[in-house]
Every structure is written in C-alpha cells, then in structure tokens.
Amino acid sequence: MNLVTGATGHIGNVLVKELISRGEKVRILVLPGEELSSLNGLPIEIFKGNVLDEKSISAAMDGIEYVFHLAGIISVMLGEDSLVHDVNVNGTKNMVKAARQAGVKRFIYTSSIHAFKRMPHGITIDENIPIDPDSAIAAYDRSKSEATLAVLAEVQLGLPAVIVCPTGVLGPYDYKGSEMGLMINEWMKHSLNFMIEGKYDFVDVRDVVTGMIAARDRGVIGQIYILSGELIRVVDIWRMVKELLNFKASIIQVPTKLAFFAAKLSDYFYRHFKIKPIFTTYSLETLHSNAVINNNKAKNILGYHPRSLKETIRDTVNWWKETQI
C-alpha cells in the first residue's frame, strides 16, 4: 500500500493515476474539505488529516509500505512566509518521524532543484552541490532546503528515505493551474502576448512521476536524485504553443529592467490586495538564474529518461483544449 500526500496537486494526481495503472493500492492523505475532482472515479482510499497533525499522520501510516510525500505550499514570493515554513518544513518533519516509527519500507520525498545552493553561471548543478538554506532568496526555496536536510537527518536514525529534486514541472493534468501552465493557457487565448526574457530547465510531470517510482524501487537510501528535463527559453515554449495552434501571433518583448520594476509592483499588490501576479521578482530571478543542470545520476541509477519538451507542450496544449478550466 502506498500513501501519497499532496495527491491533488499537479505531480500528485499524476502519481496516483500512474500507481493505480500499475495495479498498486493507494491511500491519500488530504485536508478535510479538500477539492478532489482531479482524482474523481479512482479506486483510492481517502484519509482525512493534516501533515501538521501528528495523530492523523500516525493513523494514516497504518499498513503502509511506501510513502510519497509531496504535500507543501508553493510560493513565488520573496521574503519570509511562516505558513510556507510550517507546512513545508514542520509538516515534513512530522511525516518522516511518523514513517520511521511505522517502519515503512521506503519514504520518497519530493524536494526541489531550489533546495540546492544557488550557483553562479558557468557551474553545472548536480547532486554534488550542497543543500543550503542560507543561499535561498525566498521562503519556498529555504523551506525545501530545510525540509530536505530534515529528511536526511531522519535517515541517520534509520528512515529508508530517498529524495528527488524536480526542476520546473510542465505537462497535462495541471488542474490547480501552475504558473507556467496558466501562462500557456493564456497564450492559447490571445494572438498578442507580452514576453519576458529568460530560460529555465523544464521537465514533463509524467517523467517526474516515473522517476519518483524508480527512486522508490531502485534508489539508494539517503541519496538525492535530480529529475530535470531540458533547458529552454520561455519564448521558444511560446513558439511551440503557437505552432501547435496554427495561427499567426506576435509578441511584445518586455525589457528585463522594466520587467523587474513591474514585478516589484506586482509583489506589492499581491501582498496588500491578494491579487495573484502574472509574474513576480522571484519568477524573474529564477528565469535569469543558472539552470544548467545535470541529471546523469538519475539516468544511471534509476533508468530515468525524460521525453522531449516538444511532446510535453503538445500534450499540455491538447489537455488545456479539452479541459477549459
């Protein structure tokens, strides 16, 4: 039996479906009242609880062999955020402690490429780069670093844990609407789009899921595996989308300095009026950061082989066409 937290998220719902397609049993830990439409009709066991509630976690672990811990809060804002820290760090500490006490066979923690120390351009990022909360520029990055270190600390106490670090996740079944997923959806609706400079490593959600399952089955306890995809410019993703739609479109290129200025204003409006920004300072920093990433360790140990992003974008566009969220 597998226990999945964060099962309604982008990676989570794809993971649950993949496990079920392999004939495996799945229990999900969800918040009371959580929207479950992304999992409708699936033969799953639903357990109501909270990663911040140790009693509900311990109860959810009963009879579980494998734990996939994905539950967390994603934030694209700079600065501190107590809720992000509480859920992502303390929630993970609760999960690993309960899993060790329950004697699970494997605990797979989905961390992030942002957990690693931020490296300057010219250095390839791989698993030899340290996990470093102090180099983080945002609460989310720091929380993933701290949570990763917490998992590794629990390994020293006997927890059979493996950690995976995806890069930017793209793909279909994006029911909650990730930042890039919503951007692609917006590109599909308009012939004229504003475009910002930048590039990043993006990976298909389905490849992340198969990498996670491979980490459970073949990963070495206490090891971290980067699940990356392809380094690509944002404008090239836009071009793929437009080619698939087969209609003429144009862009207005926003100068980088102006984009950062506008992002600071959007940060302000979000914090004061809770208006969700199209892009933030953190988003722009990410798109201009070093994203030369090596996934050879996952390829060699896990048999990880991510697909072409051209296929990912095609399937994403088709999914948005069919879904109309």
Side-chain angles (χ1 to χ4, degrees), residues 4 37-38 60 76 83 102 109 111 149 175 177 221 234 262 273 294 298 303-304 311 317:
V4 179
S37 60
S38 62
V76 293
L83 183 59
Y109 174 56
S111 182
L149 293 175
Y175 290 95
I221 293 173
V234 176
F273 304 106
N294 185 313
Y304 173 72
E311 178 183 343
V317 167

Side-chain angles (χ1 to χ4, degrees), residues 5-81:
T5 71
T8 62
H10 193 189
I11 301 175
N13 85 84
V14 177
L15 171 64
V16 169
K17 291 164 185 170
E18 179 62 26
L19 289 170
I20 289 173
S21 74
R22 297 182 182 213
E24 300 190 32
K25 294 181 179 179
V26 177
R27 176 185 300 162
I28 64 172
L29 177 65
V30 296
L31 293 168
E34 186 169 345
E35 170 61 51
L36 302 178
S37 60
S38 62
L39 302 173
N40 278 348
L42 297 179
I44 54 178
E45 185 179 328
I46 300 172
F47 194 98
K48 302 292 179 66
N50 191 322
V51 296
L52 298 178
D53 176 11
E54 295 183 44
K55 288 185 179 180
S56 68
I57 293 173
S58 295
M61 292 282 179
D62 184 42
I64 292 297
E65 295 177 285
Y66 309 110
V67 177
F68 289 92
H69 179 45
L70 298 94
I73 296 178
I74 298 174
S75 173
V76 293
M77 303 301 297
L78 295 177
E80 297 297 325
D81 189 316

